Amino acid sequence: MKGIILAGGSGPRLDPLTRVISKQLLPVYDKPMIYYPLSVLMLAGLREILVISTPQDLPLFERLLGDGEQLGMRFSYAAQAAPNGLAEAFIIGREFVGTDQVCLILGDNIFYGSGFGQTLRVARAELDGALLFGYRVEDPERYGVAELGPAGQLLGIEEKPTCPKSTLAITGLYFFDNQVLDIAAKLKPSARGELEITDINNVYIEAGRARLKTLPRGAAWLDTGTQESLLDASHFVATLERRQGTSISCIEEIAYRRGFIDAAQLTRLADKCGKSRYGLYMRKALEETNPVEANE
C-alpha cells in the first residue's frame, strides 16, 4: 500500500498566517503540522509516501522531509496547480500508486488514541474496497455525515446536511483499493468546480464495497483549518506531552519503534537536533529498556 498526504490549498481561513507558507508547515505545538498525518501513515506501516502541495510550497516540504532515507522511507513529491478537489490526488498520484492499494490523508488532520496504530494495520490488512473512518461530533452539520442502515452498514454520505441523519462525521483518512484510480479518472467536477472525494466514496457505497470504522470515544480527531482549531490542537498536544513525558507524532521515534531505522540512525537524527527538546526526547527514547510503540 502507498500513502498520499494532500497538503495543498492556500489556507484562506488562516490568513495572514498562510500568505507566505503552507498551512501544513505551520507549527502544532512543537512540530510542523505535516508530521501528524505523516505519523499516521507510518503507524499503518506505510513506507512510500507522496506529498502533494502547491508548486510554490513543494520545495519547502522537500527541504523539511528530504527523500525519506533518513527514516527508512521513500518520499516523493507532486504539485497540485490549483485547489481542484481532494479526489484529484488520485489523478496526480496515479503513476506513484501504480497497482497498489492507497491510503489518503489530509495534511491538516490530527489523529490520536490508544491502539490507533494497531487499528490502522488491521484496516490495511482487511481492506476490500473502501474503508472510511467516522468520528462522533457535536456539530455534524459542518461535515460530511454518514448515513447508516439498521445493521450499521454505510448507506450514504451527506455533505453538510441541514438535518443530519447521524452524528458520525467522515474524517480526512481514507483507505482504497486500486480501483480508486479509475474511479477518480472518470469523475466530473461538482457544482463548485471540484473533484469531490464524496463522489468516490459514493461509488464504493453504491457497489456495496465501502465500510465505515467508527473511532472510539477515547480517540481524538482534530482538524486545524481555523485559528481556533489550530490553537486547540496545540494545547491538546502540549497537555498530553507535558503530562505523559512522551512526544505525539515524533516521526523519528516511530521509524525506530516500527523497525524502519536502527538505534544508531536514531542517534544521528537526535544529534542533528542538537540540544533542542525534540532532540533530547529522541535520546530519551533510546534509553527506554521496555519501549512501547510510539503513539500506539
Side-chain angles (χ1 to χ4, degrees), residues 21-226:
I21 191 170
S22 167
K23 171 176 68 175
Q24 291 85 4
L25 290 171
L26 292 174
V28 177
Y29 185 48
D30 59 348
K31 58 189 74 71
M33 187 186 298
I34 195 172
Y35 275 35
Y36 297 88
L38 174 56
S39 72
V40 171
L41 299 181
M42 294 172 69
L43 286 172
L46 306 188
R47 300 179 70 166
E48 294 183 65
I49 311 296
L50 174 67
V51 177
I52 298 176
S53 188
T54 64
Q56 61 268 29
D57 289 322
L58 270 182
L60 299 176
F61 286 104
E62 293 189 61
R63 180 181 174 187
L64 174 67
L65 299 173
D67 62 7
E69 183 180 2
Q70 75 280 7
L71 296 172
M73 301 177 67
R74 183 185 304 167
F75 297 146
S76 302
Y77 301 88
Q80 185 181 38
N84 296 322
L86 307 186
E88 191 181 33
F90 302 109
I91 297 173
I92 295 170
R94 183 173 191 120
E95 183 176 347
F96 167 79
V97 175
T99 59
D100 289 321
Q101 299 173 327
V102 60
C103 176
L104 171 68
I105 188 168
L106 304 188
D108 61 358
N109 275 219
I110 296 174
F111 294 85
Y112 181 80
S114 176
F116 187 53
Q118 180 63 21
T119 296
L120 293 170
R121 292 190 289 277
V122 170
R124 174 187 174 188
E126 297 179 350
L127 179 64
D128 180 18
L131 177 63
L132 314 179
F133 291 83
Y135 190 81
R136 296 197 182 278
V137 295
E138 191 174 9
D139 49 354
E141 63 277 359
R142 293 182 51 225
Y143 303 94
V145 178
E147 178 185 356
L148 302 178
Q153 70 273 31
L154 184 59
L155 300 180
I157 299 172
E158 297 180 288
E159 284 296 329
K160 298 180 175 62
T162 304
C163 299
K165 295 179 180 177
S166 79
T167 60
L168 279 174
I170 303 299
T171 73
L173 175 63
Y174 314 88
F175 283 72
F176 294 110
D177 65 13
N178 193 259
Q179 187 183 1
V180 71
L181 302 180
D182 292 331
I183 295 172
K186 296 175 182 176
L187 288 183
K188 303 297 183 191
S190 66
R192 61 176 183 167
E194 295 188 8
L195 300 177
E196 305 287 356
I197 192 74
T198 298
D199 290 341
I200 288 179
N201 293 335
N202 282 332
V203 170
Y204 280 99
I205 292 170
E206 290 167 9
R209 302 189 65 239
R211 193 163 58 90
L212 182 69
K213 172 71 174 177
T214 302
L215 297 176
R217 291 177 62 181
W221 169 55
L222 307 169
D223 71 60
T224 49
T226 66

